[in-house]
Amino acid sequence: MKFKSTRLFYLELPAFPLLAISSWVTSIYTDHARNLLCANGLRWIFTSIISNFQRLPLAEGILLLIALSVLSHSGLLQCLTSRPTLKQRRALLFTLSVLLLILALVGALTFLPPYVLLNFFGGIDHSPLTDSLPGLLFLTVEALSCVYGFTSGKMLTLSDFSQAHSHFIVKFAPFFIHLFLLAQLTQWVKFAYFL
């Protein structure tokens, strides 16, 4: 894994000066390119470092990693794919009751007055329900995994919960550096060539 990550750096890092030089050369011969090495280009590079990275759906990716990590460490995935023991079946039943409670709560907030999760016209299109769906799915997976992990005995201490939430993030941390560099390169190309 380290070797592949290092190989990727050998491709990414030279791309920055090559892109800057090619934008300079291209801007000399055509009006359809901006020079990254001129004052305006350098100003844009330094002022857009954070905004370039913010354009990625990074929050969604991190929440997905957390949800998958907790789902995996709680044992819920293994329970659903294999023959569960008596303790696991009891934990699964308790988890199912929590799922029904969550669905009832979302249903009540949607279909009972004051219709909190419906839009202004009483519909579902562009409503708080559809806008919050990724967050609701994350919280549901999170809650169900934690309930199952606790009731099955796999996640009992605070350390267990912490490790379950952070395992995949720690595992994939090197790729966030590559995402940062690729986000910069992508935005440099868009800026230099009016894409």
Side-chain angles (χ1 to χ4, degrees), residues 160-171:
D160 294 338
F161 279 92
S162 176
Q163 185 178 5
H165 284 79
S166 62
H167 178 73
F168 281 1
I169 290 179
V170 170
K171 188 175 180 178

Side-chain angles (χ1 to χ4, degrees), residues 46-61:
F46 288 110
T47 58
S48 66
I49 291 172
I50 301 299
S51 62
N52 291 344
F53 194 51
Q54 287 174 335
R55 292 171 204 249
L56 294 174
L58 199 58
E60 292 88 348

Side-chain angles (χ1 to χ4, degrees), residues 18 26-27 44 46 49 78 83 96-97 102 104-105 118 123 132 154 158 162 181 187 189:
L18 288 174
T26 309
S27 69
W44 177 84
F46 288 110
I49 291 172
Q78 293 85 354
R83 189 174 179 92
L96 184 60
S97 65
I102 291 170
L105 180 63
L118 295 180
S132 65
K154 288 199 77 149
L158 193 56
S162 176
L181 293 174
Q187 294 306 315
V189 168

Side-chain angles (χ1 to χ4, degrees), residues 42-107:
L42 290 172
R43 206 173 288 121
W44 177 84
I45 288 171
F46 288 110
T47 58
S48 66
I49 291 172
I50 301 299
S51 62
N52 291 344
F53 194 51
Q54 287 174 335
R55 292 171 204 249
L56 294 174
L58 199 58
E60 292 88 348
I62 290 172
L63 290 180
L64 180 65
L65 283 177
I66 291 171
L68 291 174
S69 185
V70 175
L71 191 62
S72 172
H73 278 278
S74 68
L76 185 56
L77 274 180
Q78 293 85 354
C79 178
L80 295 174
T81 59
S82 65
R83 189 174 179 92
T85 64
L86 180 62
K87 187 175 186 177
Q88 289 173 329
R89 282 193 301 248
R90 287 182 183 154
L92 199 55
L93 235 114
F94 193 71
T95 305
L96 184 60
S97 65
V98 171
L99 175 62
L100 292 174
L101 182 68
I102 291 170
L103 292 174
L105 180 63
V106 171

